Amino acid sequence: ARSWLWALALISAPLVLCCSPPPDMRGLQNLERAYEDQLKLWTRQDRVYSSLDWILTVNATYLSAEFRRAFGSQYVSIFGIDPGKVDSDLEVLATSVGRGHEFFLFADASDLGWNNFDDRDSVWRMAIWGGKDQLGVPPVTIHRFAGRGPNLKAFFPFINDFGRSYLVVFPLEQANGKPVLEPESGNLTIKLASAFGAATMDWKVSE
């Protein structure tokens, strides 16, 4: 049924096929402007369709050093405690740093069985690129969050009541020992590919 509704939306707004809208940041949250600006700066969205059938919407936030500083400041401003002392989805994001290129992903799929990035038998293959001549590098870890708690939704307003959230960590180096992020490129690209289509998101992370 949800797939049918997306088909209607495509018919009434055909431009959606050629340019994805920015992620929806609206919500009841009351966050600082500095954090919201960083969230918008480092978040990308893409959608996958098969003909007129909606398959997947994915939002990804690159956990850059700048974003982490804003995130940490916002966390302390709200809660006034050390996130390392609390064990929940929000605190996992606040304390996971230095392991590689890290992203917070939220995905909504027409078939919940396809929203399983962390499963070995997932229909999706995920990889990162940091240069034009590279082979894609798969994640080191994909952690699926247990739920969609109100605090997590407040910090990431594009979360809805249907999808799933993930913390995805890619290595800093390729298999050949060279860095994933090539200095002459300064770009990172994530691609989620399947036989039904692919979602691609790009970040300019250095000059």
Side-chain angles (χ1 to χ4, degrees):
R2 296 178 64 208
S3 177
W4 177 80
L5 289 174
W6 275 97
L8 279 183
L10 278 175
I11 295 170
S12 61
L15 288 179
V16 75
L17 287 173
C18 59
C19 62
S20 295
D24 186 359
M25 300 296 182
R26 294 172 297 176
L28 299 176
Q29 70 279 357
N30 183 22
L31 302 178
E32 296 170 358
R33 179 66 178 271
Y35 173 75
E36 291 184 335
D37 287 347
Q38 285 294 314
L39 181 62
K40 293 176 182 177
L41 178 64
W42 295 107
T43 299
R44 303 290 184 269
Q45 182 189 84
D46 201 7
R47 293 171 178 167
V48 178
Y49 298 92
S50 179
S51 298
L52 292 180
D53 292 329
W54 166 69
I55 302 296
L56 179 78
T57 299
V58 58
N59 295 276
T61 302
Y62 179 51
L63 305 184
S64 67
E66 296 86 352
F67 177 82
R68 285 187 179 281
R69 283 194 291 270
F71 185 95
S73 176
Q74 181 68 84
Y75 183 96
V76 172
S77 176
I78 293 175
F79 302 109
I81 60 175
D82 179 358
K85 304 299 183 182
V86 183
D87 184 18
S88 76
D89 291 344
L90 194 63
E91 284 73 26
V92 167
L93 285 172
T95 57
S96 66
V97 62
R99 297 183 297 167
H101 296 293
E102 297 183 77
F103 296 81
F104 174 78
L105 265 67
F106 179 79
D108 188 12
S110 57
D111 186 329
L112 185 60
W114 292 353
N115 196 345
N116 60 345
F117 300 156
D118 55 325
D119 287 351
R120 291 177 60 88
D121 296 328
S122 174
V123 67
W124 304 99
R125 299 294 180 267
M126 191 186 312
I128 194 170
W129 285 259
K132 63 179 181 179
D133 296 324
Q134 293 182 8
L135 289 175
V137 180
V140 176
T141 61
I142 303 177
H143 169 75
R144 184 196 296 182
F145 291 111
R148 296 177 290 269
N151 285 328
L152 191 64
K153 292 175 70 174
F155 274 77
F156 298 94
F158 46 77
I159 292 177
N160 63 29
D161 293 329
F162 305 102
R164 286 173 172 166
S165 301
Y166 303 86
L167 176 62
V168 181
V169 181
F170 294 94
L172 295 174
E173 295 183 346
Q174 306 174 59
N176 59 14
K178 295 181 179 180
V180 168
L181 179 59
E182 296 179 359
E184 61 272 21
S185 167
N187 288 296
L188 290 175
T189 299
I190 287 181
K191 182 177 181 180
L192 291 90
S194 74
F196 305 97
T200 304
M201 294 161 287
D202 301 285
W203 289 261
K204 184 72 175 177
V205 298
S206 65
E207 299 297 334

